[in-house]
Amino acid sequence: MNQDDDVTRDEDFQEVLKALLSGYQPFLEHELELARSTDALAKEEAANPPSCEDEITLANRLFASLANEDVAIRILPKDLRDRFGPADQWRWCLLHIRCCLLFGWLVCRTCSFRARAYYIERYWRCVREIIGTPVQAQPTAEERRDLQILVDALANAYKPYLQSELASLDARGVSDEIIAGTVDCDEGAQEASQVFERLLTPEFSRALLGSAAIEKHRADPFFNFCRCWCLCAIRFGCCLARARTLVDVYRCLAWYRRCLRDCFRPLYCELDKPFDCVPDEPNLDLKAMVVPIIGSAGGLGFTHYTLEWSTNNVNFHPTHFIYPPLPGNSTQGNSPVNNGLLAWLDTTTLNAGTYFLRLTVFGVNATHVCNGSFSLFKKDVAIRGVDNVFSLDTGWPDPAAMFVETVPALCSRPAGQFEMSFRNCLSIEGGAYVGGCDGRRVKRYSLEYKLGFETNPLSGGWIALPAPYNDIEYTTAAQQRAVNDRMGTSVLTSYWGPDCLVPIAFPPWCLLNDSAALLYPNSWYTHQPGTCDLSGLITIRLTVEDTLGGLYYDTQRVWIDNKPLTAYITIDSVPKCADLFVSNFAKPPDCGVPWNVPLRGIAFDELIDETLPPTRPNLNFDYYTLSIEKQGGPTLSIPIDPKDCCYFGTSRVGDPGTRCGVVIGPQTLGTLAQFDLRSVDLKCKSQVPCMQPIPDSFALERGTCCVYIFRLYVHDRSVSPCESSTAYADWPVKICNDLQ
């Protein structure tokens, strides 16, 4: 039997169909006349330029017959309309159904959100006029607020549909679906209809009808059905807008009648999705990982529905659900749903595993409960940190994310945020976990790297990290324990080591040992002794394979700096460990004039990549400092720039003439600072700027000598837990204060 037989083979349906076709007949006859005369067609076009008012006029002409009360009532199956008694008691609803029908037809002939918002306004005016509270020509402040609520509701109703359409632009797999016959010309029709279900929320209805009308009719037994009737009318109008033939019109009317019969169903519910193994997915609007809950909740007398979850099918929790429309609420769903989105389950903080769902539909005098279950599949495949640095400028899912730091202001150097680099031993932190579904867990994970910046994990040229942490395979039951799950910021550069599987509180303390049962953290040593390898920008790839053969990837760019720092200090006129006579520099020996000793040398950090510009992080130099220590006495810092009393040199000085130990040119010395010898003279030390107070124990009586050591420290900004990012040099001399 044809699926339409149950709703089309009675006198009422035939009368409504005749009335509907009577609206189409004049229109089609006029169109046929135009088809016979191109001149008449041209005149018609010239006399009637396109306008929105013409669209509305056409809609009213087509559906005028359906506005007849007798016809409108006959669309309801007789056994159903008798339940509500005389039409006088629910005429307020009957009258505004015409507006619902017109809105559905008009809005489905548009192409943009703004045009649909225009027809929302016309729909609003239509309803308000029919119920006797017409909108002012210049809307009041309250009316403006109501209209804004309607437009916001339209935006929230359309947003999931548009997001779904945007996601479908990822064409991978679509061709296979087309060939398999799972995609055809009707694709998306159900999703488009769900827009209207999301639209007709209680907030929308209050703004549409006005608070006074809502309060007046809230207690009517017909109140909840009226919403369902309006929704059916909107979708009927939309169906007619897309009808290409009268056969399509017939089908639309048959569907309309079935939709109205469904409005009289007792409370019902159904959980369609999720089931089996389901991964959570990010939701941009909710800023959460979610699993959409798809199903149905409605029926005669419907008021609302709720969802609950459990991990043991005993203790259920109403938390973590977000009910549409956006921005959503966490309490309940307030609108009936048919094969659509009931809620999002926020799984951001939930663990992988089996979840039981309970859907409860509430009516005026009854409830109805449905149950379901699914397995939540969690994937945590991410490189989040290196050497306990997690300061990515965006987030780990971004293939171009960079580890950044704020380089502080220092003397004349301004502060700024820059990409950072790492030296030698790299501890790589992150997640290498998949699980939550039976038979699907991590089989192995591996780490590789590639020179340069790469965003495609499937490209070639990847180099495995050295053993033992280049390939971690979970082969034994002991290795598959939860303690070895790599999640969050676990150390990925790990290796298998021993663990006690059966500990006891007395000797021998352990009844069962396993030599490869626990992952121990380690580091990847990138610096090859005697070379500068590995240095430069690289990309690290994490690959996770599950037990069903699925592969998951993440990549992360990292700068590695294994280039040497150079520190060298000298006094040109005074060899190391030789005597330095104050009189040679105190010219004249006047306390009011500096007695400068030029401290020369090299404070140099090689570029990580000599082919790139000298900017951070390629130029990783941080600063150098100078100090002088008196043998058996105090140490004083030497200002690099006495004018600003700055004790830090923030620019490289000199050049060692080598790169990675290979001579490329002559060594070049530069001036590191000037040391004022007045500092060592008891009579003149108080005149030295930037170094006050200078202790008496640091200075010399005239006619005495002592050993002093000039010390140079050169720093770069590389992060390394196992190797210093500082170079050191010194220049000891014996200073003799030979002044009279």
Side-chain angles (χ1 to χ4, degrees), residues 304-432:
H304 66 281
Y305 65 88
T306 61
L307 282 158
E308 300 167 281
W309 63 268
S310 171
T311 56
N312 57 14
N313 210 20
V314 176
N315 300 313
F316 280 83
H317 313 280
T319 59
H320 293 76
F321 289 102
I322 304 170
Y323 297 89
L326 293 170
N329 76 85
S330 59
T331 305
Q332 62 189 31
N334 295 313
S335 300
V337 177
N338 289 295
N339 301 315
L341 177 68
L342 293 165
W344 295 276
L345 176 60
D346 183 348
T347 59
T348 306
T349 58
L350 297 181
N351 295 321
T354 299
Y355 285 82
F356 300 91
L357 297 175
R358 184 163 66 194
L359 168 61
T360 304
V361 180
F362 295 84
V364 176
N365 298 308
T367 60
H368 191 72
V369 178
C370 293
N371 295 283
S373 65
F374 73 100
S375 294
L376 176 59
F377 178 74
K378 282 280 191 176
K379 174 174 70 76
D380 184 14
V381 178
I383 299 173
R384 292 187 172 90
V386 172
D387 289 340
N388 288 310
V389 173
F390 304 99
S391 55
L392 291 169
D393 61 338
T394 53
W396 65 262
D398 180 2
M402 301 182 292
F403 290 107
V404 295
E405 64 172 345
T406 297
V407 177
L410 196 59
C411 299
S412 60
R413 182 185 73 189
Q417 187 180 75
F418 301 96
E419 190 171 8
M420 57 197 304
S421 64
F422 301 85
R423 181 180 294 275
N424 195 0
C425 47
L426 271 62
S427 171
I428 301 172
E429 293 94 21

Side-chain angles (χ1 to χ4, degrees), residues 628-636 695-700 705-709 711 733:
I628 179 170
E629 177 189 355
K630 183 180 182 181
Q631 189 176 54
T635 299
L636 296 184
D696 289 348
S697 58
F698 179 81
L700 296 171
C705 300
C706 190
V707 173
Y708 288 79
I709 303 174
R711 303 186 189 276
V733 294

Side-chain angles (χ1 to χ4, degrees), residues 157 161 164-165 186-196 198:
Y161 171 74
S164 175
E165 287 296 287
D186 292 323
E187 178 71 21
Q190 181 66 31
E191 289 78 3
S193 68
Q194 290 169 2
V195 171
F196 300 122
R198 291 191 292 267

Side-chain angles (χ1 to χ4, degrees), residues 182-474:
T182 57
V183 172
D184 60 18
C185 63
D186 292 323
E187 178 71 21
Q190 181 66 31
E191 289 78 3
S193 68
Q194 290 169 2
V195 171
F196 300 122
E197 293 185 4
R198 291 191 292 267
L199 178 64
L200 298 191
T201 64
E203 294 77 12
F204 181 91
S205 298
R206 182 174 292 274
L208 181 70
L209 296 166
S211 298
I214 290 291
E215 295 305 320
K216 180 179 179 180
H217 299 294
R218 179 189 295 276
D220 292 355
F222 207 78
F223 184 80
N224 290 304
F225 171 74
C226 190
R227 177 199 179 275
C228 189
W229 191 356
C230 179
L231 178 59
C232 290
I234 292 175
R235 294 178 63 181
F236 175 45
C238 187
C239 182
L240 292 174
R242 294 168 176 167
R244 296 179 294 273
T245 67
L246 290 179
V247 172
D248 288 337
V249 171
Y250 180 93
R251 290 168 179 160
C252 290
L253 183 61
W255 176 90
Y256 184 30
R257 203 137 196 253
R258 287 197 307 275
C259 182
L260 290 173
R261 182 177 289 279
D262 285 343
C263 289
F264 282 89
R265 289 173 59 187
L267 290 179
Y268 62 90
C269 63
E270 189 171 349
L271 284 168
D272 299 323
K273 296 178 183 179
F275 60 89
D276 292 340
C277 181
V278 177
D280 52 6
E281 56 191 31
N283 185 291
L284 299 180
D285 291 298
L286 300 175
K287 297 180 174 59
M289 299 297 294
V290 302
V291 171
I293 311 298
I294 307 299
S296 300
L300 192 60
F302 169 92
T303 59
H304 66 281
Y305 65 88
T306 61
L307 282 158
E308 300 167 281
W309 63 268
S310 171
T311 56
N312 57 14
N313 210 20
V314 176
N315 300 313
F316 280 83
H317 313 280
T319 59
H320 293 76
F321 289 102
I322 304 170
Y323 297 89
L326 293 170
N329 76 85
S330 59
T331 305
Q332 62 189 31
N334 295 313
S335 300
V337 177
N338 289 295
N339 301 315
L341 177 68
L342 293 165
W344 295 276
L345 176 60
D346 183 348
T347 59
T348 306
T349 58
L350 297 181
N351 295 321
T354 299
Y355 285 82
F356 300 91
L357 297 175
R358 184 163 66 194
L359 168 61
T360 304
V361 180
F362 295 84
V364 176
N365 298 308
T367 60
H368 191 72
V369 178
C370 293
N371 295 283
S373 65
F374 73 100
S375 294
L376 176 59
F377 178 74
K378 282 280 191 176
K379 174 174 70 76
D380 184 14
V381 178
I383 299 173
R384 292 187 172 90
V386 172
D387 289 340
N388 288 310
V389 173
F390 304 99
S391 55
L392 291 169
D393 61 338
T394 53
W396 65 262
D398 180 2
M402 301 182 292
F403 290 107
V404 295
E405 64 172 345
T406 297
V407 177
L410 196 59
C411 299
S412 60
R413 182 185 73 189
Q417 187 180 75
F418 301 96
E419 190 171 8
M420 57 197 304
S421 64
F422 301 85
R423 181 180 294 275
N424 195 0
C425 47
L426 271 62
S427 171
I428 301 172
E429 293 94 21
Y433 172 84
V434 293
C437 298
D438 292 341
R440 172 165 267 178
R441 56 175 176 77
V442 178
K443 180 180 180 181
R444 64 164 56 89
Y445 75 85
S446 60
L447 291 164
E448 299 93 7
Y449 74 93
K450 185 176 184 179
L451 300 180
F453 175 46
E454 175 63 79
T455 60
N456 181 9
L458 300 180
S459 63
W462 298 94
I463 303 169
L465 268 62
Y469 37 74
N470 62 325
D471 189 8
I472 300 297
E473 186 166 5
Y474 295 79

Side-chain angles (χ1 to χ4, degrees), residues 569-581:
I569 184 173
T570 184
I571 300 174
D572 289 342
S573 59
V574 183
K576 184 179 287 190
C577 299
D579 292 343
L580 184 156
F581 294 99

Side-chain angles (χ1 to χ4, degrees), residues 393-553:
D393 61 338
T394 53
W396 65 262
D398 180 2
M402 301 182 292
F403 290 107
V404 295
E405 64 172 345
T406 297
V407 177
L410 196 59
C411 299
S412 60
R413 182 185 73 189
Q417 187 180 75
F418 301 96
E419 190 171 8
M420 57 197 304
S421 64
F422 301 85
R423 181 180 294 275
N424 195 0
C425 47
L426 271 62
S427 171
I428 301 172
E429 293 94 21
Y433 172 84
V434 293
C437 298
D438 292 341
R440 172 165 267 178
R441 56 175 176 77
V442 178
K443 180 180 180 181
R444 64 164 56 89
Y445 75 85
S446 60
L447 291 164
E448 299 93 7
Y449 74 93
K450 185 176 184 179
L451 300 180
F453 175 46
E454 175 63 79
T455 60
N456 181 9
L458 300 180
S459 63
W462 298 94
I463 303 169
L465 268 62
Y469 37 74
N470 62 325
D471 189 8
I472 300 297
E473 186 166 5
Y474 295 79
T475 56
T476 69
Q479 292 173 346
Q480 293 164 11
R481 293 176 299 161
V483 69
N484 292 315
D485 289 342
R486 304 288 89 179
M487 301 178 69
T489 57
S490 299
V491 177
L492 300 177
T493 45
S494 297
Y495 65 94
W496 290 116
D499 191 26
C500 175
L501 301 182
V502 186
I504 55 177
F506 48 84
W509 309 113
C510 186
L511 298 180
L512 179 62
N513 278 295
D514 189 317
S515 61
L518 187 66
L519 284 175
Y520 287 80
N522 205 336
S523 294
W524 169 32
Y525 288 83
T526 64
H527 191 187
Q528 307 301 318
T531 73
C532 292
D533 295 335
L534 182 67
S535 290
L537 175 62
I538 68 166
T539 303
I540 301 173
R541 180 179 73 174
L542 167 64
T543 304
V544 176
E545 180 183 356
D546 69 26
T547 48
L548 298 183
L551 295 174
Y552 314 85
Y553 302 94

